[in-house]
Amino acid sequence: MASSRTSSARVVSTCVLVTLLTCTLRCSECVKLNNIVLILTDDQDVEMGGMTPMKKTKVLIGDAGVTFSNAFTATPLCCPSRSSILSGKYPHNHLVRNNSISGNCSSVTWQKEVEPLAFPVYLNKMSYQTFYGGKYLNQYGSKDAGGVAHVPPGWDQWHALVGNSQYYNYTLSANGKEEKHGDNYEKDYLTDLVLNRSLHFLEERSPSHPFFMMLCPPSPHSPWTAAPQYQKTFSDVKAPRDGSFNKPGKDKHWLLRQPVNPMSNSSIEYLDDAFRRRWQTLLSVDDMVEQLIKKLDSLKELDNTYIFYTSDHGYHTGQFSLPIDKRQLYEFDIRIPLLVRGPGIKANQTLQSPVMNIDLPMTILDIAGVNLSTVNMDGQSFLPQMAPSLRNGTERPFFLVEYTGEGYASEDPSCPKLGPGLAHCFPDCVCEDAFNNTYACVRTLKDGNLQYCEFADNESFVEVYNLTADPHQLENIVKKVDPSLLQIMNQRLIKLQSCMGNSCRNLK
């Protein structure tokens, strides 16, 4: 009798187990992971009107989802910033200092130590089909960086630009093979090529697995080559003349005290032309967004896809008498556009939560269902801010922006009076960078809209701004604020400069 009961129990247990397994298999088939698209432009500001040409993008992504009004880069330079986006780490942890191989940009060390832990690797393990198109890192594809044969782990389809942004006459690594391009608009214009290859990827992918695409057009980076149909647009547009335009760098670090003020007419004409041409190149990116969304809609994937639109950092055109560039600690260089649409995100939202580009990987992995406690990154997911019904989360109270200056050992012939150690000099001895243009800033929005920055120079220079009273950062108030506040900001900065992983997020 006992034997019979035992046998019956085994049968019941087996039936229950089979049922559970069947349910689990069916559930795993039913729950399809969301697709993700990240569009990353090059040098697109938000403070100087950089989103003005993006009419379709603002409607199709921003109005259909969320626009972050306080999005920042961890560092205002291409290769270190893009390294932060890929790794989810502050520059002091991924150790990419500038756009050179010696500055760790796409170096062998980067490839061995950081790339294997970049967020696409996690997505690939989650059965995401992955596509990369456009600019990667400034030194990618060079001989010292392994040439075009090097394809970073995590990517199924790889169509990466060799070197820095170009629109024509460039080389691609097409899945590890060299592919040279000329100057034929229909075949070679890089923004359109990235779009067309992404559309082909969507057509050829397996519908049974989710996909991730990262599209990195060259716009609006120099040489500012617009598509033929857009080369006469914005003919009357000039750089904005408000805020800090053509103002002297009073009470600022030594590099900002050098430019001639007022600026020469030739410098103003040059930066106006650059400003106009930058906008012209962005019209092709706006078309890219429209065509991509149309394709996703036709494939019935649009409602199941998160689409992120952002830039690696901001840009300036005449602010504090600096003609054109990035690399500075001010709002125009560190603020970035960030628009997101996708499942669970309500339309027409503008969120003031501070977010950073180091948060992009954690947010993407959060969407993909990765256990974030297993990921060693400095950023945090902002999915809770976009879609509170999906996640609970907290805002960061303050954050870090850091930059390591770059200078040349020999002096610039056009700028002999300043000696060696400078870089990127314009006529009239206006230099945009120097080896001791090295700074770290703590920025807070929660307890006062403040920025506190320390320079690693022979002056140990400090800049402090109250962005509420002085949004254009015209007055350095370091000598006016309460010393106890300076001490608090200094202590916050010390913590952030040595933080790693959880300690970059768990701040008080």
Side-chain angles (χ1 to χ4, degrees):
M1 192 72 174
S3 176
S4 175
R5 281 199 297 268
T6 303
S7 179
S8 298
R10 285 175 181 162
V11 171
V12 171
S13 298
T14 303
C15 288
V16 169
L17 182 60
V18 170
T19 303
L20 285 171
L21 284 171
T22 304
C23 287
T24 302
L25 288 169
R26 283 177 181 164
C27 290
S28 66
E29 290 168 3
C30 292
V31 179
K32 183 182 178 184
L33 291 170
N34 296 118
N35 310 308
I36 308 165
V37 177
L38 172 58
I39 301 168
L40 177 66
T41 56
D42 197 354
D43 285 11
Q44 187 175 8
D45 68 277
V46 70
E47 288 288 284
M48 300 294 112
M51 286 298 292
T52 303
M54 313 301 295
K55 290 182 170 60
K56 300 170 186 174
T57 300
K58 287 190 284 187
V59 170
L60 294 170
I61 303 180
D63 291 355
V66 59
T67 299
F68 284 93
S69 60
N70 288 306
F72 295 86
T73 183
T75 187
L77 187 63
C78 298
C79 198
S81 174
R82 288 165 182 259
S83 300
S84 284
I85 291 170
L86 290 161
S87 67
K89 294 176 182 289
Y90 279 120
H92 68 264
N93 287 328
H94 64 57
L95 302 179
V96 178
R97 296 180 296 281
N98 53 47
N99 290 340
S100 68
I101 286 281
S102 61
N104 205 27
C105 178
S106 201
S107 68
V108 173
T109 301
W110 158 269
Q111 292 170 14
K112 287 182 179 178
E113 296 181 3
V114 186
E115 275 185 345
L117 299 174
F119 78 91
V121 175
Y122 291 89
L123 292 177
N124 220 223
K125 290 177 181 177
M126 296 291 289
S127 298
Y128 271 78
Q129 302 162 91
T130 55
F131 171 93
Y132 195 97
K135 177 176 172 177
Y136 182 58
L137 301 174
N138 295 55
Q139 295 297 328
Y140 172 76
S142 66
K143 184 179 179 182
D144 291 339
V148 297
H150 173 69
V151 177
W155 299 105
D156 298 318
Q157 286 292 317
W158 180 253
H159 303 270
L161 177 68
V162 173
N164 206 359
S165 282
Q166 293 288 330
Y167 299 80
Y168 295 112
N169 300 307
Y170 54 84
T171 301
L172 283 184
S173 170
N175 295 317
K177 294 185 178 179
E178 184 179 81
E179 186 180 282
K180 291 190 174 293
H181 286 263
D183 57 5
N184 182 295
Y185 171 69
E186 283 74 18
K187 293 191 301 182
D188 301 315
Y189 192 69
L190 184 56
T191 303
D192 293 356
L193 180 141
V194 170
L195 169 64
N196 293 333
R197 296 208 175 171
S198 70
L199 298 182
H200 181 71
F201 168 79
L202 288 173
E203 290 169 355
E204 297 296 315
R205 84 200 192 289
S206 167
S208 61
H209 293 286
F211 60 82
F212 170 73
M213 300 196 302
M214 189 165 175
L215 312 184
C216 301
S219 306
H221 197 286
S222 62
W224 314 306
T225 311
Q229 66 270 29
Y230 294 131
Q231 289 179 358
K232 295 182 179 180
T233 55
F234 306 123
S235 58
D236 297 327
V237 167
K238 293 182 178 180
R241 265 40 175 186
D242 56 357
S244 56
F245 182 84
N246 205 7
K247 294 281 174 64
K250 183 182 177 183
D251 296 327
K252 289 179 166 48
H253 64 281
W254 77 273
L255 192 61
L256 267 288
R257 301 196 294 267
Q258 303 304 318
V260 175
N261 181 267
M263 301 173 74
S264 66
N265 287 336
S266 59
S267 290
I268 291 176
E269 289 173 5
Y270 176 78
L271 68 86
D272 276 339
D273 180 63
F275 188 90
R276 187 163 44 247
R277 291 170 66 191
R278 281 164 54 80
W279 275 20
Q280 290 171 351
T281 68
L282 283 167
L283 292 173
S284 293
V285 182
D286 206 32
D287 291 341
M288 165 193 278
V289 171
E290 180 185 43
Q291 293 302 313
L292 178 65
I293 287 178
K294 281 183 178 178
K295 186 66 172 180
L296 291 169
D297 193 30
S298 71
L299 295 171
K300 295 184 171 48
E301 292 284 6
L302 183 58
D303 293 339
N304 190 41
T305 302
Y306 286 88
I307 304 175
F308 294 74
Y309 184 94
T310 192
S311 172
D312 49 8
H313 47 72
Y315 205 73
H316 58 256
T317 46
Q319 284 63 50
F320 297 120
S321 304
L322 298 170
I324 60 163
D325 201 50
K326 44 266 185 175
R327 306 169 210 263
Q328 299 301 325
L329 58 90
Y330 309 105
E331 297 284 279
F332 42 74
D333 283 356
I334 66 174
R335 280 184 178 267
I336 54 176
L338 178 58
L339 291 69
V340 192
R341 66 172 288 170
I345 301 176
K346 292 180 180 178
N348 290 304
Q349 294 186 81
T350 299
L351 295 183
Q352 296 182 353
S353 305
V355 294
M356 301 190 71
N357 61 351
I358 59 171
D359 298 335
L360 284 165
M362 291 290 266
T363 307
I364 288 168
L365 296 182
D366 195 2
I367 290 168
V370 174
N371 181 353
L372 298 185
S373 67
T374 65
V375 180
N376 182 22
M377 293 183 178
D378 302 335
Q380 64 188 49
S381 172
F382 53 82
L383 185 60
Q385 277 71 45
M386 296 192 295
S389 62
L390 300 181
R391 294 282 188 280
N392 292 320
T394 56
E395 293 183 16
R396 57 162 54 82
F398 48 88
F399 54 90
L400 175 70
V401 177
E402 55 189 343
Y403 178 72
T404 302
E406 187 176 9
Y408 301 126
S410 57
E411 66 184 29
D412 191 297
S414 65
C415 198
K417 67 177 183 179
L418 293 181
L422 293 115
H424 307 288
C425 294
F426 287 90
D428 302 319
C429 197
V430 181
C431 298
E432 294 280 0
D433 206 4
F435 74 91
N436 63 356
N437 180 40
T438 296
Y439 57 81
C441 303
V442 60
R443 183 78 168 82
T444 178
L445 283 79
K446 191 174 181 181
D447 301 320
N449 193 3
L450 300 172
Q451 183 184 35
Y452 172 93
C453 302
E454 295 181 359
F455 277 81
D457 59 16
N458 58 6
E459 298 178 316
S460 298
F461 203 78
V462 177
E463 295 188 34
V464 183
Y465 299 98
N466 180 330
L467 279 297
T468 300
D470 179 22
H472 301 295
Q473 296 164 289
L474 299 176
E475 183 184 10
N476 178 6
I477 59 172
V478 64
K479 295 178 181 178
K480 295 183 178 181
V481 296
D482 188 331
S484 64
L485 177 60
L486 295 181
Q487 187 176 9
I488 290 169
M489 298 297 271
N490 170 262
Q491 291 302 311
R492 288 176 173 178
L493 186 59
I494 290 171
K495 281 184 182 179
L496 283 169
Q497 284 186 284
S498 60
C499 78
M500 293 181 68
N502 281 332
S503 64
C504 298
R505 297 185 289 271
N506 298 332
L507 303 167
K508 293 181 181 179

